[in-house]
Amino acid sequence: MKAVITVIGKDMVGILAKVSGTCAEVNANVAEVTQSVLQDYFAMIMIVDIQKMTCSLEELKAKLEENVPSMQIHVMHEDIFNSMHRI
């Protein structure tokens, strides 16, 4: 099982470290990540393996929002993400 995490907001030092560190704390393994900085804005999409995660997706999102409060964060199970993007 996997989840998709998106992080968008004003660029600052340590965003990737804070997000990946939070994932590590709950045993969510980062499988893939892509990020861009456009002018002063940071955008990241991360795929995480949640098979051995020690909390719910809602709890993960809350922890991420606490650790990176100035960013817009979405956490979604891959099945929901795939269903939303199917034509």
Side-chain angles (χ1 to χ4, degrees), residues 2-59:
K2 295 180 183 159
V4 178
I5 299 172
T6 60
V7 180
I8 299 170
K10 202 82 159 140
D11 190 29
M12 64 181 182
V13 173
I15 300 167
L16 181 59
K18 290 177 183 177
V19 173
S20 60
T22 302
C23 289
E25 287 175 14
V26 298
N27 209 32
N29 186 41
V30 176
E32 294 184 49
V33 63
T34 183
Q35 65 180 30
S36 294
V37 178
L38 305 168
Q39 293 184 4
D40 293 333
Y41 295 94
F42 177 88
M44 177 175 68
I45 301 173
M46 182 179 279
I47 307 293
V48 293
D49 184 331
I50 58 172
Q51 287 183 354
K52 297 179 182 177
M53 192 166 70
T54 58
C55 68
S56 70
L57 290 177
E58 293 79 18
E59 290 170 318

